Amino acid sequence: MAWTKYQLFLAGLMLVTGSINTLSAKWADNFKAEGCGGSKEHSFQHPFLQAVGMFLGEFSCLAAFYLLQCRATRQSDSSIEPQQSFSALLFLPPALCDMTGTSLMYVALNMTSASSFQMLRGAVIIFTGLFSVAFLGRRLAPSQWVGILATIAGLVVVGLADLLSKHDSQHKLSDVITGDLLIIMAQIIVAIQMVLEEKFVYKHNVHPLRAVGIEGFFGFVILSLLLVPMYYIPAGSFSGNPRGMLEDALDAFCQVGRQPLIALALLGNISSIAFFNFAGISVTKELSATTRMVLDSLRTVVIWALSLALGWEVFHPLQILGFLILLMGTALYNGLHHPLLACLSRGWHRPTQEGEQERLLGDNRTPINDAS
């Protein structure tokens, strides 16, 4: 099936902005600058402030939703279905999960490499599958169970690669282990978020851009307010700022003032998450959830390749094996093997090109929340 220019643009936009989202956050972490009060030069380690920026990017998806709604109203376009009435508070529990999981992941990103960060996020499949069975009464297919087992094996291999890799002064072995464990913990919380969204939110037929925007609003407001008490909560060696507090937003702003490129990295993170959500939703609608999953896997390759090229991490062959196993687990869990087997079956029967295209176009489109 030939893609249109618009579909190619959406796929490229999702791949590029998804890669920029992780790389820009890691780029900000690599900067060093003086803080407030003449404090000596230190790394920009402000994960909670970065999480606030990410939620600001998600919040901006509300603007995109209302622009699309106005355009659909003017052009009598039925692509945006009439929205049912619902309470915005439905999004508060998943937003709290999103806020906690995202904050943990930004803390972990300070401790481990960008590629390991991206690969280990595949653990969400394990917990989403288990929680959907326990709380949603869903029955997983045998291939999905195999996918979960493959994902566990892939995580073990990626973890071994991190343990055996050479670590610099910025990423000590103890930090890498802690960071990897925090990423896994964050995926448990993200899986709870997905189950909550499916059980309570998506039955109201809320447009995905609107859902992301409302969750972004809650996350932005709540975490912004929490920056105040975090300024006074001691965190000891766990903290990356000179005062040793859980978060020092004033120190972050001082560092940004002394090193403007940090502001560019933060702006890249904020804008990329907004465009990534829009592109991901559009790819699912215009192509399929399977295409979105494949592009998300390619994003890991791009992040890994650029991290190696920029000298942010050292190559280890076990990472290739771990990534391939994780990719296989993700493909099995999301059912990617079904169209592959169908293509092989059609290849044996040698169908005409027209008949093959008709079958591909007739595939069912899965909801956006099933594409994770």
Side-chain angles (χ1 to χ4, degrees):
M1 181 180 67
W3 286 7
T4 65
K5 290 182 179 179
Y6 178 62
Q7 289 170 335
L8 285 172
F9 167 75
L10 289 175
L13 183 65
M14 179 183 168
L15 183 61
V16 171
T17 55
S19 302
I20 289 174
N21 183 244
T22 299
L23 291 170
S24 61
K26 191 63 182 178
W27 187 35
D29 295 342
N30 287 336
F31 279 110
K32 289 187 176 181
E34 295 179 1
C36 298
S39 61
K40 64 179 182 179
E41 188 178 80
H42 56 280
S43 298
F44 185 85
Q45 294 187 14
H46 298 281
F48 297 100
L49 185 68
Q50 285 179 293
V52 169
M54 194 215 72
F55 284 118
L56 180 60
E58 288 189 358
F59 183 27
S60 65
C61 288
L62 266 183
F65 166 74
Y66 286 117
L67 284 173
L68 288 175
Q69 194 175 46
C70 290
R71 176 176 172 273
T73 302
R74 285 199 305 267
Q75 298 181 359
S76 300
D77 187 2
S78 59
S79 61
I80 293 187
E81 299 175 5
Q83 298 290 295
Q84 299 175 358
S85 60
F86 62 92
S87 172
L89 292 176
L90 280 173
F91 292 89
L92 183 56
L96 291 173
C97 291
D98 194 8
M99 182 184 73
T100 307
T102 299
S103 298
L104 282 176
M105 283 190 281
Y106 275 118
V107 171
L109 189 57
N110 285 315
M111 300 179 174
T112 190
S113 64
S115 63
S116 294
F117 169 84
Q118 196 64 38
M119 290 182 194
L120 291 172
R121 290 179 69 177
V124 71
I125 287 175
I126 302 169
F127 305 110
T128 302
L130 295 177
F131 291 162
S132 65
V133 171
F135 301 110
L136 299 178
R138 181 171 297 163
R139 296 184 64 182
L140 298 182
S143 60
Q144 290 180 304
W145 286 112
V146 174
I148 288 175
L149 292 175
T151 302
I152 294 173
L155 293 174
V156 171
V157 174
V158 172
L160 282 174
D162 280 343
L163 291 176
L164 298 175
S165 295
K166 295 179 180 179
H167 302 289
D168 53 28
S169 58
Q170 185 181 2
H171 296 131
K172 298 177 182 177
L173 179 59
S174 58
D175 289 342
V176 170
I177 295 173
T178 304
D180 289 354
L181 291 175
L182 284 175
I183 295 170
I184 302 297
M185 288 174 56
Q187 302 320 301
I188 298 175
I189 299 170
V190 171
I192 295 173
Q193 174 194 348
M194 291 182 175
V195 171
L196 288 173
E197 287 175 343
E198 186 161 345
K199 190 171 182 65
F200 299 111
V201 175
Y202 284 96
K203 65 181 181 181
H204 292 277
N205 192 29
V206 183
H207 191 276
L209 274 177
R210 193 179 190 185
V212 170
I214 295 174
E215 286 186 14
F217 168 76
F218 280 122
F220 175 73
V221 172
I222 295 171
L223 197 53
S224 295
L225 293 175
L226 287 176
L227 289 179
V228 177
M230 286 180 183
Y231 184 80
Y232 300 100
I233 299 175
S237 59
F238 189 72
S239 170
N241 55 77
R243 294 177 60 248
M245 298 300 164
L246 189 59
E247 180 60 282
D248 191 340
L250 294 181
D251 179 70
F253 293 133
C254 289
Q255 286 188 289
V256 170
R258 289 176 170 82
Q259 176 52 273
L261 285 177
I262 299 177
L264 180 62
L266 295 177
L267 183 61
N269 187 250
I270 294 170
S271 56
S272 63
I273 194 65
F275 284 106
F276 175 67
N277 276 287
F278 171 76
I281 289 165
S282 300
V283 164
T284 305
K285 178 185 173 185
E286 295 289 333
L287 296 165
S288 69
T290 301
T291 304
R292 186 184 184 189
M293 185 272 294
V294 172
L295 290 171
D296 210 39
S297 299
L298 288 175
R299 177 167 65 125
T300 303
V301 177
V302 172
I303 292 169
W304 186 24
L306 286 176
S307 296
L308 290 172
L310 294 169
W312 290 355
E313 57 185 276
V314 179
F315 172 78
H316 197 287
L318 267 182
Q319 279 193 317
I320 298 178
L321 178 61
F323 172 70
L324 290 175
I325 298 174
L326 284 171
L327 186 62
M328 182 181 68
T330 304
L332 286 171
Y333 186 85
N334 287 280
L336 185 59
H337 61 291
H338 293 307
L340 289 177
L341 291 175
C343 286
L344 289 174
S345 176
R346 289 196 295 271
W348 283 106
H349 292 89
R350 299 183 182 276
T352 62
Q353 184 177 1
E354 183 180 354
E356 184 174 340
Q357 189 175 33
E358 183 179 354
R359 287 192 182 190
L360 287 170
L361 286 170
D363 286 343
N364 291 327
R365 304 294 173 90
T366 54
I368 186 69
N369 54 314
D370 290 341
S372 303

